[in-house]
Coordinates of all heavy atoms in Angstrom, one line a residue:
A50 N 82.5 95.3 89.5 CA 83.1 96.5 89.8 C 84.2 96.8 88.8 O 84.9 95.9 88.3 CB 83.7 96.5 91.2
A51 N 84.5 98.0 88.5 CA 85.5 98.4 87.5 C 86.9 98.2 88.1 O 87.1 98.3 89.3 CB 85.3 99.9 87.1
L52 N 87.8 98.0 87.2 CA 89.2 97.8 87.7 C 89.7 99.2 88.1 O 89.2 100.2 87.6 CB 90.1 97.3 86.6 CG 89.8 95.8 86.2 CD1 90.6 95.4 85.0 CD2 90.1 94.9 87.4
P53 N 90.7 99.2 88.9 CA 91.3 100.5 89.3 C 91.8 101.3 88.1 O 92.3 100.7 87.2 CB 92.5 100.2 90.2 CG 92.2 98.8 90.7 CD 91.4 98.1 89.6
S54 N 91.6 102.6 88.1 CA 92.1 103.4 87.0 C 93.4 104.1 87.4 O 93.6 104.2 88.6 CB 91.0 104.4 86.5 OG 90.7 105.3 87.6
R55 N 94.1 104.6 86.5 CA 95.4 105.3 86.8 C 95.3 106.7 86.3 O 94.7 107.0 85.3 CB 96.5 104.6 86.1 CG 96.8 103.2 86.7 CD 98.1 102.7 86.2 NE 98.4 101.4 86.8 CZ 99.0 101.2 88.0 NH1 99.4 102.2 88.7 NH2 99.1 100.0 88.4
S56 N 95.9 107.6 87.1 CA 96.0 109.0 86.7 C 97.1 109.1 85.6 O 97.8 108.2 85.3 CB 96.5 109.8 87.9 OG 97.8 109.5 88.2
S57 N 97.2 110.3 85.0 CA 98.2 110.5 84.0 C 99.6 110.3 84.5 O 100.5 110.0 83.7 CB 98.1 111.9 83.4 OG 98.2 112.9 84.4
A58 N 99.8 110.4 85.8 CA 101.1 110.1 86.4 C 101.3 108.7 86.7 O 102.4 108.3 87.2 CB 101.3 111.0 87.7
G59 N 100.3 107.8 86.4 CA 100.5 106.4 86.6 C 100.1 105.9 88.0 O 100.2 104.7 88.3
Q60 N 99.6 106.8 88.9 CA 99.2 106.4 90.2 C 97.8 105.9 90.2 O 96.9 106.4 89.4 CB 99.3 107.6 91.2 CG 100.8 108.0 91.4 CD 100.8 109.2 92.3 OE1 99.8 109.8 92.6 NE2 102.0 109.5 92.7
L61 N 97.5 104.9 91.1 CA 96.2 104.4 91.2 C 95.2 105.5 91.7 O 95.6 106.2 92.7 CB 96.1 103.2 92.1 CG 96.7 101.9 91.5 CD1 96.8 100.9 92.6 CD2 95.8 101.4 90.4
R62 N 94.0 105.5 91.2 CA 93.0 106.4 91.7 C 92.2 105.6 92.7 O 91.8 104.5 92.4 CB 92.1 106.9 90.6 CG 92.8 107.9 89.7 CD 91.8 108.4 88.6 NE 92.5 109.3 87.8 CZ 92.2 109.4 86.5 NH1 91.4 108.6 85.9 NH2 92.9 110.2 85.7
R63 N 91.8 106.2 93.8 CA 91.1 105.5 94.8 C 89.6 105.7 94.6 O 89.1 106.8 94.5 CB 91.5 106.0 96.2 CG 90.9 105.2 97.3 CD 91.5 105.7 98.6 NE 90.9 104.9 99.6 CZ 91.4 104.7 100.8 NH1 92.5 105.3 101.1 NH2 90.9 104.0 101.7
R64 N 88.8 104.6 94.6 CA 87.4 104.6 94.6 C 86.8 103.8 95.7 O 87.4 102.7 95.9 CB 86.9 104.1 93.2 CG 87.1 105.0 92.1 CD 86.4 104.5 90.8 NE 86.6 103.1 90.6 CZ 87.6 102.6 89.9 NH1 88.5 103.3 89.4 NH2 87.6 101.3 89.7
V65 N 85.8 104.2 96.3 CA 85.2 103.4 97.4 C 83.9 102.8 96.8 O 83.1 103.5 96.3 CB 84.9 104.3 98.6 CG1 84.2 103.4 99.7 CG2 86.2 104.8 99.2
L66 N 83.7 101.5 97.0 CA 82.5 100.8 96.5 C 81.8 100.2 97.7 O 82.5 99.6 98.6 CB 82.9 99.8 95.5 CG 83.8 100.2 94.3 CD1 84.3 99.0 93.5 CD2 83.0 101.2 93.4
V67 N 80.5 100.2 97.7 CA 79.8 99.5 98.7 C 79.1 98.3 98.1 O 78.4 98.4 97.1 CB 78.7 100.4 99.4 CG1 77.9 99.6 100.4 CG2 79.3 101.6 100.0
R68 N 79.3 97.1 98.7 CA 78.8 95.9 98.2 C 78.0 95.2 99.3 O 77.8 95.7 100.4 CB 79.9 94.9 97.7 CG 80.7 95.5 96.5 CD 81.6 94.5 95.9 NE 82.3 95.0 94.8 CZ 83.4 94.6 94.4 NH1 84.0 93.6 95.0 NH2 84.1 95.1 93.4
G69 N 77.4 94.0 98.9 CA 76.6 93.3 99.9 C 77.1 93.2 101.3 O 78.3 93.2 101.5
G70 N 76.2 93.2 102.3 CA 76.6 93.1 103.7 C 77.1 94.5 104.2 O 77.6 94.5 105.4
G71 N 77.0 95.5 103.5 CA 77.4 96.8 104.0 C 78.9 97.1 104.1 O 79.4 98.1 104.7
K72 N 79.7 96.1 103.6 CA 81.2 96.3 103.6 C 81.6 97.4 102.6 O 81.0 97.5 101.6 CB 81.9 95.0 103.4 CG 81.8 94.1 104.5 CD 82.8 92.9 104.3 CE 82.8 92.0 105.5 NZ 83.8 91.0 105.5
V73 N 82.7 98.1 102.9 CA 83.2 99.1 102.0 C 84.6 98.6 101.5 O 85.4 98.2 102.3 CB 83.4 100.5 102.7 CG1 84.1 101.5 101.8 CG2 82.0 101.0 103.2
Y74 N 84.8 98.6 100.2 CA 86.0 98.2 99.6 C 86.6 99.4 98.9 O 85.9 100.2 98.3 CB 85.8 97.1 98.6 CG 85.2 95.8 99.2 CD1 83.8 95.7 99.4 CD2 86.1 94.8 99.7 CE1 83.3 94.5 100.0 CE2 85.6 93.7 100.3 CZ 84.2 93.6 100.4 OH 83.7 92.4 101.0
A75 N 87.9 99.5 98.9 CA 88.6 100.6 98.3 C 89.7 100.1 97.4 O 90.3 99.1 97.7 CB 89.2 101.6 99.3
D76 N 89.8 100.7 96.2 CA 90.9 100.3 95.3 C 92.2 100.6 96.0 O 92.3 101.6 96.8 CB 90.8 101.1 94.0 CG 89.7 100.6 93.2 OD1 89.2 99.5 93.3 OD2 89.2 101.5 92.4
P77 N 93.3 99.9 95.8 CA 94.6 100.1 96.4 C 95.1 101.5 96.1 O 94.9 102.0 95.0 CB 95.5 99.1 95.9 CG 94.6 98.1 95.1 CD 93.3 98.8 94.9
V78 N 95.7 102.2 97.1 CA 96.2 103.5 96.9 C 97.6 103.4 96.3 O 98.0 104.2 95.5 CB 96.3 104.3 98.2 CG1 97.0 105.6 98.1 CG2 95.0 104.4 98.8
K79 N 98.3 102.3 96.6 CA 99.7 102.0 96.0 C 99.7 100.6 95.5 O 99.0 99.7 95.9 CB 100.7 102.2 97.1 CG 100.8 103.6 97.6 CD 102.0 103.7 98.6 CE 102.1 105.2 99.0 NZ 103.4 105.5 99.4
D80 N 100.6 100.4 94.5 CA 100.9 99.1 94.0 C 101.8 98.2 94.9 O 101.6 97.0 94.9 CB 101.6 99.2 92.6 CG 100.6 99.7 91.5 OD1 99.4 99.4 91.6 OD2 101.1 100.4 90.6
V81 N 102.7 98.9 95.5 CA 103.7 98.2 96.4 C 103.9 99.0 97.7 O 104.0 100.2 97.6 CB 105.1 98.1 95.7 CG1 106.1 97.4 96.5 CG2 104.9 97.3 94.4
V82 N 103.9 98.3 98.8 CA 104.3 98.9 100.1 C 105.3 98.0 100.8 O 105.3 96.8 100.6 CB 103.0 99.2 101.0 CG1 102.1 100.2 100.4 CG2 102.3 97.9 101.3
K83 N 106.1 98.7 101.7 CA 107.1 97.9 102.5 C 106.8 98.3 104.0 O 106.5 99.5 104.3 CB 108.5 98.3 102.1 CG 109.0 97.7 100.9 CD 110.5 97.9 100.7 CE 111.0 97.2 99.5 NZ 112.4 97.3 99.3
A84 N 107.0 97.3 104.8 CA 106.9 97.6 106.3 C 108.0 96.9 107.0 O 108.4 95.8 106.6 CB 105.5 97.0 106.8
F85 N 108.6 97.5 108.0 CA 109.7 97.0 108.7 C 109.3 96.8 110.2 O 108.6 97.7 110.8 CB 110.9 98.0 108.7 CG 112.0 97.5 109.6 CD1 112.9 96.5 109.1 CD2 112.3 98.1 110.8 CE1 113.9 96.1 109.9 CE2 113.3 97.7 111.6 CZ 114.1 96.6 111.2
A86 N 109.6 95.6 110.7 CA 109.3 95.3 112.1 C 110.6 95.0 112.9 O 111.3 94.1 112.5 CB 108.3 94.1 112.3
P87 N 111.0 95.9 113.8 CA 112.2 95.6 114.5 C 112.2 94.4 115.4 O 111.1 94.0 115.9 CB 112.4 96.9 115.4 CG 111.1 97.5 115.5 CD 110.3 97.0 114.3
A88 N 113.3 93.7 115.5 CA 113.4 92.5 116.3 C 113.3 92.9 117.8 O 113.8 93.9 118.2 CB 114.7 91.8 116.1
T89 N 112.5 92.1 118.6 CA 112.3 92.4 120.0 C 111.9 91.2 120.8 O 111.4 90.2 120.2 CB 111.3 93.5 120.2 OG1 111.1 93.8 121.6 CG2 109.9 93.1 119.7
V90 N 112.2 91.2 122.1 CA 111.7 90.1 122.9 C 110.8 90.7 124.0 O 110.4 90.1 125.0 CB 112.8 89.3 123.6 CG1 113.6 88.6 122.6 CG2 113.7 90.3 124.4
A91 N 110.3 92.0 123.7 CA 109.5 92.7 124.7 C 108.2 92.1 125.0 O 107.6 92.3 126.1 CB 109.3 94.1 124.2
N92 N 107.6 91.2 124.1 CA 106.3 90.7 124.4 C 106.3 89.3 125.0 O 105.3 88.7 125.2 CB 105.6 90.6 123.0 CG 104.1 90.6 123.2 OD1 103.6 91.1 124.2 ND2 103.4 90.0 122.2
L93 N 107.5 88.9 125.4 CA 107.6 87.6 126.1 C 107.1 87.7 127.6 O 107.4 88.7 128.2 CB 109.0 87.0 126.1 CG 109.5 86.6 124.7 CD1 110.9 86.1 124.8 CD2 108.6 85.5 124.1
G94 N 106.4 86.7 128.0 CA 105.9 86.7 129.4 C 107.0 86.3 130.4 O 108.1 85.8 130.0
P95 N 106.7 86.3 131.7 CA 107.7 85.9 132.7 C 107.8 84.4 132.6 O 107.0 83.7 132.1 CB 107.0 86.3 134.0 CG 105.6 86.4 133.7 CD 105.5 86.8 132.3
G96 N 108.9 83.9 133.2 CA 109.2 82.5 133.2 C 110.4 82.2 132.3 O 111.3 83.0 132.1
Y97 N 110.4 81.0 131.8 CA 111.6 80.5 131.0 C 111.4 80.6 129.5 O 112.1 80.0 128.8 CB 111.9 79.1 131.5 CG 112.4 79.1 132.9 CD1 111.5 78.7 133.9 CD2 113.6 79.5 133.3 CE1 111.9 78.6 135.2 CE2 114.0 79.5 134.6 CZ 113.2 79.0 135.6 OH 113.5 79.0 136.9
D98 N 110.3 81.3 129.0 CA 110.1 81.5 127.6 C 111.4 82.0 126.9 O 111.7 81.5 125.8 CB 109.0 82.5 127.3 CG 107.7 82.3 128.0 OD1 107.7 81.4 128.8 OD2 106.8 82.9 127.6
W99 N 112.0 83.0 127.5 CA 113.1 83.6 126.8 C 114.3 82.7 126.6 O 115.1 82.9 125.7 CB 113.6 84.8 127.7 CG 114.1 84.4 129.0 CD1 113.3 84.3 130.2 CD2 115.4 84.1 129.4 NE1 114.1 83.9 131.2 CE2 115.4 83.8 130.8 CE3 116.6 84.0 128.7 CZ2 116.6 83.4 131.4 CZ3 117.8 83.6 129.4 CH2 117.7 83.3 130.7
M100 N 114.4 81.6 127.3 CA 115.5 80.7 127.1 C 115.5 80.0 125.7 O 116.6 79.7 125.2 CB 115.5 79.6 128.2 CG 115.8 80.2 129.6 SD 115.9 79.0 130.9 CE 117.5 78.3 130.6
G101 N 114.3 79.8 125.2 CA 114.3 79.2 123.8 C 114.2 80.2 122.7 O 114.0 79.8 121.6
C102 N 114.4 81.5 123.0 CA 114.2 82.5 122.0 C 115.6 83.0 121.6 O 116.5 83.2 122.3 CB 113.4 83.7 122.7 SG 113.1 85.0 121.5
A103 N 115.7 83.1 120.2 CA 116.9 83.7 119.7 C 116.5 84.8 118.7 O 115.7 84.6 117.9 CB 117.7 82.6 118.9
V104 N 117.0 86.0 119.0 CA 116.8 87.1 118.1 C 118.0 87.5 117.4 O 119.1 87.7 118.0 CB 116.3 88.4 118.9 CG1 116.1 89.6 118.0 CG2 115.0 88.0 119.6
Q105 N 118.0 87.4 116.1 CA 119.2 87.7 115.3 C 118.8 88.7 114.2 O 117.8 88.7 113.6 CB 119.6 86.4 114.6 CG 120.9 86.6 113.8 CD 121.3 85.2 113.1 OE1 120.7 84.2 113.4 NE2 122.3 85.3 112.3
G106 N 119.7 89.7 114.1 CA 119.4 90.8 113.1 C 118.6 91.9 113.6 O 118.2 91.9 114.7
D107 N 118.4 92.9 112.7 CA 117.7 94.1 113.1 C 116.2 93.9 113.1 O 115.5 94.7 113.8 CB 118.0 95.2 112.1 CG 119.5 95.6 112.2 OD1 120.1 95.4 113.3 OD2 120.0 96.2 111.2
G108 N 115.6 93.0 112.3 CA 114.2 92.8 112.2 C 113.8 92.3 110.9 O 114.7 91.7 110.2
D109 N 112.6 92.4 110.5 CA 112.1 91.9 109.3 C 111.4 93.0 108.4 O 110.8 93.9 108.9 CB 111.0 90.8 109.5 CG 111.6 89.6 110.2 OD1 112.7 89.2 109.9 OD2 110.9 89.0 111.1
T110 N 111.6 92.8 107.1 CA 110.9 93.7 106.2 C 110.0 92.9 105.3 O 110.4 91.9 104.8 CB 112.0 94.5 105.3 OG1 112.9 95.2 106.1 CG2 111.3 95.4 104.3
V111 N 108.8 93.4 105.2 CA 107.8 92.7 104.3 C 107.4 93.7 103.2 O 107.2 94.8 103.4 CB 106.5 92.4 105.1 CG1 105.4 91.8 104.2 CG2 106.8 91.4 106.2
T112 N 107.4 93.2 102.0 CA 107.0 93.9 100.8 C 105.7 93.3 100.3 O 105.6 92.1 100.0 CB 108.1 93.9 99.7 OG1 109.3 94.4 100.2 CG2 107.6 94.7 98.5
A113 N 104.7 94.1 100.2 CA 103.4 93.6 99.7 C 103.1 94.3 98.4 O 103.2 95.5 98.2 CB 102.3 93.9 100.7
K114 N 102.6 93.5 97.4 CA 102.3 94.0 96.0 C 100.8 93.6 95.7 O 100.4 92.6 96.1 CB 103.2 93.4 95.0 CG 104.6 93.8 95.1 CD 105.4 93.2 93.9 CE 106.2 92.0 94.4 NZ 107.0 91.4 93.3
V115 N 100.2 94.5 95.0 CA 98.8 94.2 94.5 C 98.9 93.3 93.3 O 99.7 93.5 92.4 CB 98.1 95.5 94.1 CG1 96.8 95.3 93.5 CG2 97.9 96.5 95.3
I116 N 98.0 92.3 93.3 CA 97.9 91.4 92.2 C 96.5 91.7 91.6 O 95.5 91.2 92.0 CB 98.0 89.9 92.6 CG1 99.3 89.6 93.4 CG2 97.9 89.0 91.4 CD1 99.3 88.2 94.0
P117 N 96.5 92.6 90.5 CA 95.2 93.1 90.0 C 94.2 92.0 89.6 O 93.0 92.1 89.8 CB 95.6 93.9 88.8 CG 97.0 94.3 89.0 CD 97.6 93.1 89.8
D118 N 94.7 90.9 89.0 CA 93.7 89.9 88.5 C 93.5 88.7 89.6 O 93.0 87.7 89.3 CB 94.2 89.3 87.2 CG 95.7 89.1 87.0 OD1 96.4 89.8 87.7 OD2 96.1 88.2 86.2
A119 N 94.0 89.0 90.8 CA 93.8 88.0 91.9 C 93.4 88.7 93.2 O 94.1 88.6 94.2 CB 95.0 87.1 92.1
P120 N 92.3 89.4 93.2 CA 91.9 90.1 94.5 C 91.7 89.2 95.6 O 91.1 88.1 95.5 CB 90.6 90.8 94.1 CG 90.1 90.1 92.9 CD 91.2 89.5 92.2
G121 N 92.3 89.5 96.8 CA 92.1 88.7 98.0 C 93.1 87.6 98.1 O 93.1 86.8 99.1
K122 N 93.9 87.3 97.1 CA 94.8 86.2 97.1 C 96.1 86.6 97.7 O 96.7 87.7 97.4 CB 95.0 85.7 95.7 CG 95.9 84.4 95.6 CD 96.0 83.9 94.2 CE 97.0 82.8 94.2 NZ 96.5 81.5 94.4
V123 N 96.7 85.8 98.6 CA 98.0 86.0 99.2 C 99.0 85.1 98.6 O 98.8 83.9 98.6 CB 97.9 85.9 100.7 CG1 99.3 86.0 101.4 CG2 96.9 86.9 101.4
V124 N 100.1 85.6 98.1 CA 101.1 84.8 97.5 C 102.4 85.2 98.2 O 102.8 86.4 98.2 CB 101.2 85.1 96.0 CG1 102.4 84.4 95.4 CG2 100.0 84.8 95.3
I125 N 103.2 84.3 98.7 CA 104.5 84.5 99.2 C 105.5 84.1 98.2 O 105.7 83.0 97.9 CB 104.7 83.7 100.6 CG1 103.6 84.1 101.6 CG2 106.1 84.0 101.1 CD1 103.6 83.3 102.8
E126 N 106.2 85.1 97.6 CA 107.2 84.9 96.5 C 108.5 84.4 97.1 O 109.1 83.6 96.4 CB 107.4 86.1 95.7 CG 106.1 86.5 94.9 CD 106.4 87.7 94.1 OE1 107.4 88.4 94.3 OE2 105.5 88.0 93.2
A127 N 109.0 85.0 98.2 CA 110.3 84.6 98.6 C 110.4 85.0 100.1 O 109.8 85.9 100.6 CB 111.4 85.4 97.8
I128 N 111.3 84.2 100.8 CA 111.7 84.5 102.2 C 113.2 84.4 102.2 O 113.7 83.4 101.8 CB 111.0 83.5 103.2 CG1 109.5 83.6 103.1 CG2 111.5 83.8 104.6 CD1 108.8 82.5 103.9
S129 N 113.8 85.4 102.8 CA 115.3 85.3 102.9 C 115.8 85.2 104.3 O 115.1 85.6 105.2 CB 116.0 86.5 102.2 OG 115.6 87.7 102.8
G130 N 116.9 84.5 104.5 CA 117.5 84.4 105.8 C 117.0 83.3 106.7 O 117.3 83.2 107.9
D131 N 116.1 82.4 106.2 CA 115.6 81.3 107.0 C 116.1 79.9 106.6 O 115.7 78.9 107.1 CB 114.0 81.3 106.8 CG 113.6 80.8 105.5 OD1 114.3 81.2 104.5 OD2 112.5 80.2 105.4
D132 N 117.0 79.9 105.6 CA 117.6 78.6 105.1 C 116.5 77.7 104.6 O 116.7 76.5 104.8 CB 118.5 78.0 106.1 CG 119.7 78.9 106.5 OD1 120.2 79.5 105.6 OD2 120.1 78.9 107.6
G133 N 115.4 78.2 104.1 CA 114.4 77.3 103.5 C 113.4 76.7 104.5 O 112.6 75.8 104.2
R134 N 113.5 77.1 105.8 CA 112.7 76.5 106.9 C 111.2 76.9 106.8 O 110.3 76.2 107.3 CB 113.3 76.7 108.2 CG 114.6 76.0 108.4 CD 115.2 76.3 109.7 NE 115.5 77.8 109.7 CZ 116.3 78.4 110.5 NH1 116.9 77.7 111.5 NH2 116.5 79.7 110.4
L135 N 111.0 78.2 106.4 CA 109.6 78.7 106.4 C 108.9 78.4 105.0 O 109.5 78.5 104.0 CB 109.6 80.2 106.6 CG 110.2 80.6 107.9 CD1 110.3 82.1 108.0 CD2 109.4 80.1 109.1
S136 N 107.6 78.1 105.1 CA 106.8 77.7 103.9 C 106.5 78.9 103.1 O 106.1 80.0 103.6 CB 105.6 77.0 104.4 OG 104.7 76.7 103.3
L137 N 106.5 78.7 101.8 CA 106.1 79.8 100.9 C 104.6 79.6 100.6 O 104.0 80.5 99.9 CB 106.9 79.7 99.5 CG 108.4 80.0 99.6 CD1 109.0 79.8 98.3 CD2 108.6 81.5 100.1
V138 N 104.0 78.6 101.1 CA 102.5 78.4 100.9 C 101.8 79.2 102.0 O 102.0 79.0 103.2 CB 102.2 76.9 101.1 CG1 100.7 76.6 101.0 CG2 102.9 76.0 100.1
A139 N 101.0 80.2 101.5 CA 100.4 81.1 102.4 C 99.6 80.5 103.5 O 99.6 80.9 104.6 CB 99.5 82.1 101.6
E140 N 98.9 79.4 103.2 CA 98.1 78.7 104.2 C 98.9 78.0 105.3 O 98.4 77.6 106.3 CB 97.1 77.7 103.5 CG 96.1 78.3 102.6 CD 96.7 78.5 101.2 OE1 97.8 78.0 100.8 OE2 96.1 79.4 100.5
D141 N 100.2 77.8 105.0 CA 101.1 77.1 106.0 C 102.1 78.1 106.6 O 103.0 77.6 107.2 CB 101.8 76.0 105.2 CG 100.9 74.9 104.7 OD1 99.8 74.7 105.2 OD2 101.3 74.3 103.7
N142 N 101.9 79.4 106.4 CA 102.9 80.3 106.9 C 102.1 81.3 107.8 O 101.0 81.9 107.4 CB 103.5 81.0 105.7 CG 104.5 82.0 106.1 OD1 104.2 83.0 106.7 ND2 105.8 81.8 105.8
C143 N 102.6 81.7 109.0 CA 101.8 82.5 109.9 C 101.5 83.9 109.3 O 100.4 84.4 109.5 CB 102.5 82.6 111.3 SG 104.1 83.4 111.3
I144 N 102.5 84.5 108.6 CA 102.2 85.8 108.0 C 101.2 85.7 106.8 O 100.4 86.5 106.6 CB 103.5 86.5 107.5 CG1 103.2 88.0 107.2 CG2 104.1 85.9 106.3 CD1 102.7 88.8 108.4
G145 N 101.2 84.5 106.1 CA 100.3 84.3 105.0 C 98.9 84.2 105.6 O 97.9 84.7 105.0
I146 N 98.7 83.5 106.7 CA 97.4 83.3 107.4 C 96.9 84.7 107.9 O 95.8 85.0 107.7 CB 97.5 82.3 108.5 CG1 97.8 80.9 108.0 CG2 96.3 82.3 109.4 CD1 98.3 79.9 109.0
A147 N 97.8 85.4 108.5 CA 97.4 86.8 109.0 C 97.0 87.7 107.9 O 96.0 88.4 108.0 CB 98.6 87.4 109.8
A148 N 97.7 87.7 106.8 CA 97.4 88.5 105.6 C 96.1 88.1 105.0 O 95.2 89.0 104.7 CB 98.5 88.4 104.6
T149 N 95.8 86.8 104.9 CA 94.6 86.3 104.4 C 93.4 86.8 105.2 O 92.4 87.3 104.7 CB 94.6 84.8 104.2 OG1 95.7 84.4 103.4 CG2 93.3 84.3 103.7
E150 N 93.5 86.6 106.5 CA 92.5 87.0 107.5 C 92.3 88.6 107.5 O 91.1 89.0 107.6 CB 92.7 86.5 108.9 CG 92.7 85.0 109.0 CD 91.3 84.5 108.6 OE1 90.3 85.0 109.0 OE2 91.3 83.5 107.8
T151 N 93.3 89.3 107.3 CA 93.2 90.8 107.2 C 92.4 91.2 106.0 O 91.6 92.1 106.0 CB 94.6 91.4 107.2 OG1 95.3 91.1 108.4 CG2 94.5 92.9 107.1
L152 N 92.7 90.5 104.9 CA 91.9 90.8 103.6 C 90.4 90.5 103.8 O 89.6 91.0 103.0 CB 92.6 90.1 102.5 CG 93.9 90.6 102.0 CD1 94.5 89.7 101.0 CD2 93.8 92.0 101.5
R153 N 90.1 89.6 104.6 CA 88.7 89.2 104.8 C 87.9 90.2 105.7 O 86.7 90.2 105.7 CB 88.6 87.8 105.5 CG 89.0 86.7 104.6 CD 88.8 85.4 105.3 NE 89.3 84.3 104.5 CZ 89.5 83.1 104.9 NH1 89.1 82.7 106.1 NH2 90.0 82.2 104.1
L154 N 88.6 91.1 106.4 CA 87.9 92.1 107.2 C 87.0 93.0 106.5 O 87.2 93.3 105.4 CB 88.9 92.9 108.0 CG 89.7 92.2 109.0 CD1 90.8 93.1 109.6 CD2 88.9 91.6 110.1

């Protein structure tokens, strides 16, 4: 498949390709996207779960970038505010695992 092309304004052009298995793949619409998830305890069940839970700050922001020469690869470049407790290895980090599985859909 051809690499994504850019318009004269530098934006990625979207093309849809059909490959084996009937899956549809599309070139990225953007090079970089950001998503914010507010902190919450709303999804905790009844019981004493909440006693071990600490919510600090407004929430989390994730920035995702396209790596043109590594399609389907998840790389975690940095995590802030965790004092080094969370792994930068995608296979050992819950968001890395979720991102990898999402790319497999």
Side-chain angles (χ1 to χ4, degrees):
L52 292 174
S54 61
R55 293 190 178 272
S56 69
S57 59
Q60 295 179 347
L61 285 173
R62 291 185 181 139
R63 187 175 182 158
R64 289 189 313 273
V65 176
L66 307 171
V67 178
R68 295 191 181 154
K72 288 191 175 186
V73 176
Y74 297 86
D76 290 334
V78 176
K79 296 186 176 208
D80 289 327
V81 178
V82 294
K83 283 188 177 187
F85 176 76
T89 180
V90 293
N92 202 24
L93 292 179
Y97 295 100
D98 303 10
W99 62 272
M100 293 180 81
C102 182
V104 176
Q105 182 177 355
D107 295 334
D109 294 319
T110 301
V111 174
T112 303
K114 297 185 257 183
V115 173
I116 305 172
D118 39 333
K122 183 174 174 90
V123 174
V124 176
I125 301 173
E126 291 180 348
I128 301 172
S129 60
D131 71 325
D132 296 325
R134 293 176 295 198
L135 299 175
S136 176
L137 294 176
V138 178
E140 298 81 18
D141 297 335
N142 182 295
C143 64
I144 194 63
I146 294 167
T149 300
E150 293 303 315
T151 298
L152 290 172
R153 288 185 186 169
L154 294 175

